[in-house]
Amino acid sequence: MELFASHFGTYEIARGPDGPALAPFRHDPDPSPLGAGFLALADHPTRVMQPMARKGWLAGDGGARRGDDTFVPVTMDRACDLAAAELDRVRKAHGNRAIFGGSYGWGSAGRFHHPQSQLKRFLNLAGGFVSARNTYSYGTAKVLLPHLVGPEFSDPGTFNPSWDRIVENRPFILSFGGMRLANAQVEAGGTGAHRTRGWIDRFAEAGGEMLTLSPDGRDAPTGRHLPIAAGTDACAMLAMAYVLLSENRVDEAAVKRIATGFDETRALILGLSDGQPKSPDWAAALTGIPASELTRIARKLSDGPALINLSWSLQRAVAGEQPYWAALVLAVLSGQIGRPGCGIACGLSAVSSVGNPLRRLRGPAFDQGRNPVAEYIPVARIAEMLERPGETIAYNGAPLTLPDIRLIWWAGGNPFHHHQDLNRLARAWRRPETVIVQESVWTATARHADLVFPSALPTERDDIAAASRDNWILRSTKVMEPPSGVETDYAVLSRIADRLGFADAFHEGLTETEWLARLYEGYRAAYPELPGWPEFCATGYARLADPEPQDVTQPLEAFRADPAANPLSTPSGRIALLPDLLRAEDHRLGAPLSHVRASDAEEDTALPLRLLSPQPETRLHSQLDGAPLATKARRHGCEVARAHPDDIAKAGLTSGAPALLGNARGSVLVVIEADTALAPGHVVLPTGGWYRPATIDGERIDLGGNPNTLTRDTGSSELSQGASAGGARVRLNAFRGTIPARNPGTGR
Ligand SMILES: Nc1nc2c(c(=O)[nH]1)N[C@H]1C(S)=C(S)[C@@H](COP(=O)(O)OP(=O)(O)OC[C@H]3O[C@@H](n4cnc5c(=O)[nH]c(N)nc54)[C@H](O)[C@@H]3O)O[C@H]1N2
Ligand SMILES: Nc1nc2c(c(=O)[nH]1)N[C@H]1C(S)=C(S)[C@@H](COP(=O)(O)OP(=O)(O)OC[C@H]3O[C@@H](n4cnc5c(=O)[nH]c(N)nc54)[C@H](O)[C@@H]3O)O[C@H]1N2
Ligand SMILES: [Mo]
């Protein structure tokens, strides 16, 4: 069977007289319509068709007009000469620590053509590069959780009970931020079967009860929903903990068996140490949830069985540690940690694999080699890195010096989609001497480059796809040839490596097919039950069976059953409710209790609406923006934002009108639509609009509707320095101009 594997899952390739089509994979119970959209990109006007160089850069402008300039075509040979010469100049003049190759982003589900792996291997052979740590997805929790439960649980969802266990035990699920099924369409590395919807249906059919607390009623896949003001989840959780303590529902001896810091935590919750009891009345005013509801939910949690689910969006915010920390406190005090199918879960439905009872595929990644440069940044500190070379920031309990970057090289990501405060990034981005980008389409990042290399789309090359938390290994087959002049990243980097004298080390003389066979054999070495390469190629996929229920590790169950025999790897072997680092004065925002509303610090509270920027249903971030599903979702060519009808009326607008969302950081053109599912005081603008700043009647407006024109770029805290998209405040105004026509074409 010929298959195409993408982050949206797997598709069967049907070749007919009208060209190829992509049909849902027969083994996928809940296929996503999104992946077929790649076909529409093949000859889309946004396609990068040849290497292009920025005029000002060729003339030596040092970056002054970057992002606001025209491009000229250059031959592939010339472009490779230019890239090789520039890399060589920078490393000789400033050392490899002046090259930023962090290159974050969701390029390619295929493991071989994974652009960052390709680029990192290339840059490592060239002497190394400054890298980026953590993710935009989960960067705050990843730094926080090792302090609370130990480093083995830093990855998203590693301590979650699995879905089969949850369905079997039917806990009351209290879900903060909900479970958006549209998000579970996606998996980094792809999947053969989307199972999340099936698990949730089975849970509901078995009589399971779910309560979603979220500003957006659409986040609840089943069960009841209660609106909560964004950024106040920790307040609700602490109020529930207050109820447990004041109603003597906490088994202190049992808590102390599994956790340290109980006495201090109790003092903080009761307000003995700061004078503010975190009572339901206190939380009701902040969250908008009646005190009686908070009390009722707290009792239900302690009656059990119960599971607290946290969406990843909660921690993608200023002080995003707080809800994760408070949820752990609540799960411990309510006695639910480590009960079968109970306790705490991070991101059920955030991506397809979370909660599936499966093996973690230990496959060989494409070998990136070793990076001789030690310097790194937490991934979301990029603008700060460019603005303040040589200065220090605090990160995870230690100072970190920001490197002095002269050359940025990006492959497989779109910082002008994903980073916060894009107008600030655009200014900082002019500082390096050179920016090289490899892209298939003219994203805002490509438009902010000096040298752009065209990349083949995932549909235009053979690959092997597999996600680390999945059971499927997929043979992705080339659906069509790339346009003439467009090559894979591997081919382009091989050409440049040749000019720098390390081509043999880069490609090892292997053909693409030989590389794929090598990767596959690596999986077979780990899982001898997999078929041989020829049989795998003929079938198109291989699937490992789900493990037997008793073989799925439920890590916190073993710990709860016998904490002394199965200790965590925290200093005490137990859960640390208040580790020293979180109490330290200089980690004010990491100190969860001192500022439960720190997410509003530094924001203009006079602005009436809180901006939510969830993942887009019709795209993967900014990808497939030119495909029919995303195009159809726009109104008058604009991104659609949703708000409560009362807020739209207060702004003097009607549903369906063009409007501006704005704050001190910028202004975004949208069409505003009324939605009663949304709590008043919030506005939803999903991510992924293509940042297109333009000056209209003297005002600089992002016509592309990217919420990151408005979001904050402070970092979540000095502890984790994670992405801080959540919690920005904005105003809603009429847009009185004429909506300019979209000009997706090349370059400008
Ligand atoms: N406000 C706000 N901002 C957010 C978030 C939020 O919730 N709110 N979420 C954040 C999160 S969780 C994430 S993960 C990021 C996502 O941010 P990104 O991962 O940067 O977003 P993508 O649009 O997926 O960008 C991937 C780019 O890689 C290109 N690409 C794909 N395959 C290849 C390939 O094989 N070769 C090359 N050269 N290029 C390729 C695509 O064309 C695309 O432009 O956004 C973050 N930003
Ligand atoms: N279709 C599609 N699916 C995707 C992606 C995509 O681009 N497209 N991206 C994928 C990626 S990279 C990631 S990391 C995951 C992200 O997974 P998540 O982080 O879980 O998803 P989001 O859509 O950002 O947010 C989920 C919901 O959280 C709610 N929310 C936001 N802030 C708050 C708050 O303060 N309190 C409460 N209670 N709720 C809040 C919002 O209403 C939002 O709908 O999604 C993945 N899935
Ligand atoms: Mo993400």
Side-chain angles (χ1 to χ4, degrees):
M1 199 183 330
E2 276 196 327
L3 298 174
F4 167 62
S6 75
H7 293 303
F8 309 100
T10 304
Y11 300 84
E12 297 182 15
I13 305 172
R15 300 191 190 272
D18 302 331
L22 294 175
F25 184 37
R26 63 194 66 176
H27 299 295
D28 189 344
D30 185 22
S32 166
L34 290 178
F38 276 107
L39 295 181
L41 296 190
D43 55 359
H44 196 267
T46 54
R47 204 60 208 271
V48 181
M49 297 298 273
Q50 60 194 314
M52 300 281 269
R54 189 171 66 78
K55 264 190 172 167
W57 178 71
L58 288 172
D61 77 352
R65 295 205 57 197
R66 188 173 294 134
D68 195 20
D69 202 353
T70 42
F71 286 82
V72 292
V74 286
T75 63
M76 183 60 88
D77 273 338
R78 170 113 198 276
C80 291
D81 288 344
L82 286 168
E86 185 56 6
L87 186 141
D88 198 42
R89 181 190 72 77
V90 169
R91 69 179 174 178
K92 285 191 176 128
H94 307 285
N96 283 72
R97 60 174 60 166
I99 301 170
F100 184 68
S103 195
Y104 180 81
W106 273 61
S108 180
R111 296 297 90 188
F112 175 66
H113 288 294
H114 185 241
Q116 287 160 44
S117 303
Q118 290 283 347
L119 177 61
K120 288 176 183 173
R121 178 180 171 94
F122 167 85
L123 290 175
N124 282 339
L125 287 166
F129 63 95
V130 171
S131 56
R133 280 203 191 160
N134 304 339
T135 61
Y136 278 79
S137 314
Y138 198 71
T140 299
K142 194 176 171 72
V143 177
L144 173 74
L145 290 173
H147 295 292
L148 306 179
V149 283
E152 67 270 43
F153 298 126
S154 71
D155 277 334
T158 29
F159 54 49
N160 290 359
S162 56
W163 267 119
D164 54 339
R165 194 65 137 214
I166 297 170
V167 171
E168 181 190 330
N169 291 282
R170 267 177 296 130
F172 161 57
I173 300 183
L174 177 60
S175 182
F176 290 88
M179 299 184 199
R180 277 162 55 102
L181 280 168
N183 285 3
Q185 294 180 95
V186 161
E187 180 64 42
T191 183
H194 294 85
R195 299 166 75 184
T196 310
R197 188 188 301 269
W199 289 120
I200 293 176
D201 287 349
R202 249 170 282 167
F203 175 77
E205 281 155 20
E209 183 185 350
M210 191 184 296
L211 172 61
T212 298
L213 301 191
S214 162
D216 190 349
R218 296 180 193 279
D219 292 337
T222 181
R224 196 169 153 240
H225 164 257
L226 269 180
I228 183 171
T232 67
D233 303 85
C235 305
M237 295 168 190
L238 293 177
M240 293 174 200
Y242 179 97
V243 172
L244 301 182
L245 287 166
S246 52
E247 295 188 355
N248 290 321
R249 285 170 169 268
V250 177
D251 179 344
E252 192 176 321
V255 168
K256 287 184 169 166
R257 252 196 313 280
I258 62 165
T260 59
F262 172 70
D263 294 327
E264 264 177 294
T265 306
R266 176 177 54 192
L268 283 163
I269 293 169
L270 297 179
L272 308 179
S273 44
D274 67 354
Q276 174 60 67
K278 312 300 179 295
S279 64
D281 285 329
W282 165 82
L286 297 166
T287 59
I289 302 176
S292 57
E293 279 282 5
L294 293 168
T295 305
R296 196 189 61 80
I297 299 168
R299 290 176 186 154
K300 218 169 152 51
L301 283 178
S302 97
D303 290 346
L307 173 69
I308 301 169
N309 178 59
L310 308 167
S311 67
W312 296 350
S313 57
L314 301 185
Q315 50 87 62
R316 211 175 294 123
V318 173
E321 291 86 358
Q322 291 174 352
Y324 270 54
W325 167 80
L328 187 72
V329 168
L330 184 58
V332 167
L333 297 195
S334 59
Q336 301 301 320
I337 282 280
R339 291 181 67 173
C342 296
I344 191 161
C346 302
L348 287 173
S349 100
V351 290
S352 158
S353 66
V354 181
N356 275 336
L358 36 77
R359 316 181 193 215
R360 295 180 64 85
L361 269 184
R362 298 278 176 225
F366 176 63
D367 187 4
Q368 299 180 4
R370 206 186 65 80
N371 187 356
V373 173
E375 275 92 340
Y376 71 92
I377 54 162
V379 66
R381 296 330 305 135
I382 180 158
E384 212 163 341
M385 169 183 81
L386 298 174
E387 285 168 354
R388 303 201 290 123
E391 294 183 32
T392 57
I393 57 168
Y395 172 60
N396 204 7
L400 183 80
T401 303
L402 297 169
D404 187 357
I405 298 301
R406 309 300 174 111
L407 168 65
I408 294 179
W409 197 318
W410 220 288
N414 186 359
F416 279 90
H417 145 71
H418 67 230
H419 192 59
Q420 285 57 66
D421 198 350
L422 290 177
N423 291 328
R424 173 186 175 189
L425 181 65
R427 292 187 295 273
W429 193 261
R430 292 192 166 175
R431 301 186 68 146
E433 288 153 23
T434 295
V435 176
I436 300 175
V437 167
Q438 299 180 254
E439 252 300 351
S440 311
V441 283
W442 279 100
T443 60
T445 300
R447 292 199 308 267
H448 284 78
D450 300 323
L451 192 53
V452 181
F453 285 96
S455 300
L457 289 168
T459 33
E460 295 165 351
R461 58 207 189 195
D462 291 327
D463 215 327
I464 288 188
S468 58
R469 285 182 311 230
D470 204 1
N471 290 350
W472 294 82
I473 303 174
L474 300 143
R475 173 98 166 94
S476 191
T477 305
K478 188 190 274 188
V479 182
M480 54 177 72
E481 290 297 327
S484 117
V486 174
E487 301 183 5
T488 63
D489 301 315
Y490 173 65
V492 169
L493 291 171
S494 297
R495 286 169 176 272
I496 305 172
D498 190 35
R499 284 155 171 83
L500 291 165
F502 56 79
D504 289 344
F506 182 71
H507 56 56
E508 296 187 35
L510 300 184
T511 64
E512 185 186 77
T513 310
E514 286 165 345
W515 271 111
L516 300 186
R518 182 199 273 192
L519 284 175
Y520 182 75
E521 289 306 335
Y523 282 108
R524 229 157 71 91
Y527 305 99
E529 66 267 43
L530 290 173
W533 170 249
E535 191 190 334
F536 169 70
C537 288
T539 316
Y541 65 89
R543 188 198 164 168
L544 296 167
D546 274 353
E548 294 300 319
Q550 68 273 12
D551 295 337
V552 183
T553 345
Q554 309 280 345
L556 293 178
E557 279 185 32
F559 165 67
R560 175 195 170 110
D562 191 344
N566 307 300
L568 305 178
S569 48
T570 52
S572 64
R574 287 174 284 165
I575 295 169
L577 293 180
L578 266 184
D580 288 341
L581 191 63
L582 299 197
R583 276 178 292 187
E585 187 58 28
D586 56 347
H587 287 104
R588 188 173 59 86
L589 292 179
L593 279 166
S594 56
H595 284 259
V596 244
R597 288 298 297 281
S599 65
D600 260 350
E602 296 128 36
E603 274 299 88
D604 181 353
T605 45
L607 300 182
L609 301 172
R610 289 167 197 269
L611 174 68
L612 302 174
S613 50
Q615 315 307 311
E617 270 182 56
T618 55
R619 287 183 293 245
L620 174 61
H621 318 123
S622 71
Q623 295 188 55
L624 297 181
D625 187 63
L629 281 173
T631 310
K632 271 191 223 127
R634 284 193 275 272
R635 297 281 172 273
H636 312 300
C638 295
E639 290 291 306
V640 173
R642 293 184 283 126
H644 191 274
D646 293 351
D647 288 320
I648 297 179
K650 269 186 215 154
L653 293 170
T654 49
S655 184
L660 291 177
L661 292 173
N663 59 22
R665 290 177 285 269
S667 234
V668 170
L669 175 65
V670 297
V671 161
I672 191 79
E673 280 186 359
D675 187 356
T676 49
L678 199 63
H682 298 82
V683 59
V684 175
L685 176 59
T687 61
W690 283 27
Y691 175 64
R692 265 188 313 140
T695 303
I696 298 183
D697 298 335
E699 192 181 356
R700 196 162 167 80
I701 297 173
D702 171 14
L703 302 176
N706 190 310
N708 281 321
T709 302
L710 305 166
T711 53
R712 254 180 306 183
D713 181 22
T714 53
S716 47
S717 75
E718 296 207 320
L719 179 79
S720 56
Q721 299 286 7
S724 52
R729 285 186 173 260
V730 296
R731 75 175 80 79
L732 174 64
N733 281 337
F735 174 72
R736 307 209 185 277
T738 317
I739 300 177
R742 270 178 101 80
N743 174 16
T746 56
R748 297 269 316 131

